[in-house]
Amino acid sequence: MLAAKRRSIDMEIRTIGVLGAGQMGSGIAQVAAAAGYDVVLADASVELAQKGLSKIDAVLGKQVDKGKMKAEDRAALVGRIKPAAGPADFNACDLVIEAATENVELKIKLIRACDEAMKPGAILASNTSSISLTKLAGATKRPERVIGMHFMNPPPLMKLVEIVRAVQTSEETYKVVRAAAEKMGKTCTVSNDAPGFLVNRILIPMLCEACFALQEGVGTAADIDTGAKLGLNHPMGPLELADLIGLDTVLAIADVLHRDIGDDKYRAPTMLRNLVAAGWLGKKTGRGFYVYDATGGKQA
């Protein structure tokens, strides 16, 4: 009976829109298409969206070359993703996931644009990792249909989706979104709307403390990361992870936590601010705590 009910809920979502064709947005689009959804992948221009789709195609091409995926399955998955120029193309979507940069003013602007374009009853989700869903929902005409879907980076590999319920989020919206995430093969955790939610409230102080240790000369970046991997059994060191996430994103989340909670344990190190000011944002720019080659590998 429960399985039948879940299937009926899931049938409400057939087409998913993703706003933002960068690392997170393209990853979410790939995961959604792999689950059988039709996907509209949009960015500031159709050229940027096509670039995101090309990256998906290239990643899947490597899986085909390694024998981990059939060529026809790759073609079918890519064929379910349609590049688009912006939110205006989301009019047929049942669920739209905003995956733009972690900036509250930008997100509100984009959320409103999506809200205006979407059909009545469609659900609007944000992939924000720290910004208040209640505030984002309040900027729309469908607050009860707004929710957080925080995918972990990179979405095709990470199994978790953190579902964040705004004060306004309806029970129906939660059930539909959870069913969609589970169809994408994800395990869900649920957080009420609080700064940093669950994962980043725990993670960001650790990343900042590793940066403080480096800033104060307690150890080298390699020693800090090796200590976390071998001493704490973490798959990646905290500085490596910060570089993967993007140092601008780490700083933005730290600032939200520090401002909204008011506890100095969430303050960002000067070194982190300086790296961001220099434009050294981690793997995506080729330099952060480490220097990376053209393939994204760390240089010795």
Side-chain angles (χ1 to χ4, degrees), residues 106-124:
L106 175 62
K107 284 189 180 290
I108 288 175
K109 178 182 177 181
L110 295 175
I111 286 285
R112 284 175 172 160
C114 291
D115 183 38
E116 288 295 326
M118 292 164 62
K119 63 187 178 182
I123 294 172
L124 180 51

Side-chain angles (χ1 to χ4, degrees), residues 164-266:
V164 184
R165 300 184 65 153
V167 169
Q168 307 97 314
T169 303
S170 70
E171 184 67 16
E172 179 191 16
T173 297
Y174 161 70
K175 288 179 179 178
V176 170
V177 166
R178 180 162 192 147
E182 289 175 348
K183 184 178 177 180
M184 295 180 207
K186 303 303 182 183
T187 298
C188 298
T189 58
V190 183
S191 172
N192 291 323
D193 191 17
F197 318 130
L198 292 176
V199 173
N200 280 322
R201 184 160 180 169
I202 296 167
L203 174 63
I204 296 301
M206 182 186 74
L207 301 187
C208 286
E209 194 59 37
C211 185
F212 275 120
L214 180 64
Q215 177 178 294
E216 295 165 11
V218 179
T220 66
D223 284 338
I224 291 166
D225 282 341
T226 299
K229 287 186 285 189
L230 301 184
L232 304 176
N233 202 28
H234 290 189
M236 294 182 71
L239 301 178
E240 292 172 317
L241 179 56
D243 272 357
L244 175 64
I245 293 168
L247 302 191
D248 52 339
T249 300
V250 173
L251 177 58
I253 300 169
D255 283 345
V256 168
L257 286 166
H258 191 205
R259 182 192 69 227
D260 291 355
I261 297 177
D263 191 325
D264 277 349
K265 72 181 178 182
Y266 297 110

Side-chain angles (χ1 to χ4, degrees), residues 1-13 179 183:
M1 184 71 179
L2 180 60
K5 184 178 180 182
R6 268 212 180 148
R7 281 195 296 271
S8 67
I9 290 170
D10 186 62
M11 285 301 293
E12 296 183 27
I13 304 296
K183 184 178 177 180

